[in-house]
Amino acid sequence: MKQREISFFLLIMLCLLIPTGCNGQAKNVSIDGLKPGTYISGDDNAFEIDQAKLFLGENGEFTLSRNLLDSKIFVGTYTVENDTLTLHENSGNVYLFKIKDGQLIFQKESSSDLSLDSQLNFHLKEE
């Protein structure tokens, strides 16, 4: 049973990584100054297992994981208006990020509970 759970978890992680594998071929399109792609928390050299990842697709859809060990993956659509990125999760939750100098700063006070630090910053992952 334990092996099935691990296999299922690895399959889900693989599904999350597949869309990011094509980023090198994606058009360099931005939506109101925000480029689609994979945004990560922390340093590019930090352990990937601890990093929150936010993938923004060119089609207006997103996936968000708090870290690789977390079984909860947030999925939905996003909009960009002025300097605010708004994630609309399929379950109805809404998460807001301030866009500043290419960084996405999580707005904990204005968002549904995500169990992330209020000052968590995301930046576009270098390919």
Side-chain angles (χ1 to χ4, degrees):
M1 184 68 174
K2 191 85 162 166
Q3 231 174 358
R4 275 191 193 166
E5 293 173 344
I6 291 172
S7 296
F8 180 72
F9 176 76
L10 291 175
L11 179 64
I12 289 176
M13 289 296 110
L14 181 62
C15 289
L16 280 177
L17 295 176
I18 287 172
T20 63
C22 298
N23 280 345
Q25 300 170 354
K27 300 172 193 160
N28 196 11
V29 175
S30 67
I31 301 169
D32 288 341
L34 185 64
K35 290 183 182 179
T38 302
Y39 288 78
I40 58 172
S41 64
D43 190 322
D44 281 333
N45 298 321
F47 290 112
E48 225 177 291
I49 200 164
D50 295 330
Q51 292 177 326
K53 286 189 177 185
L54 171 60
F55 175 74
L56 301 176
E58 290 182 22
N59 59 358
E61 295 181 352
F62 80 89
T63 59
L64 172 66
S65 62
R66 293 178 284 211
N67 62 54
L68 284 178
L69 297 177
D70 192 355
S71 62
K72 175 72 173 155
I73 298 170
F74 304 88
V75 178
T77 59
Y78 70 91
T79 58
V80 178
E81 192 171 317
N82 299 323
D83 61 351
T84 302
L85 167 67
T86 305
L87 305 180
H88 305 272
E89 187 186 5
N90 290 344
S91 68
N93 291 325
V94 176
Y95 310 105
L96 301 173
F97 293 81
K98 187 86 160 167
I99 303 168
K100 185 175 182 182
D101 301 325
Q103 300 274 319
L104 304 176
I105 305 163
F106 179 59
Q107 304 297 297
K108 186 174 184 173
E109 317 77 40
S110 309
S111 300
S112 301
D113 184 29
L114 191 55
S115 299
L116 288 174
D117 295 332
S118 58
Q119 293 302 312
L120 187 61
N121 295 352
F122 288 78
H123 66 278
L124 189 60
K125 182 176 181 181
E126 297 295 324
E127 297 295 327

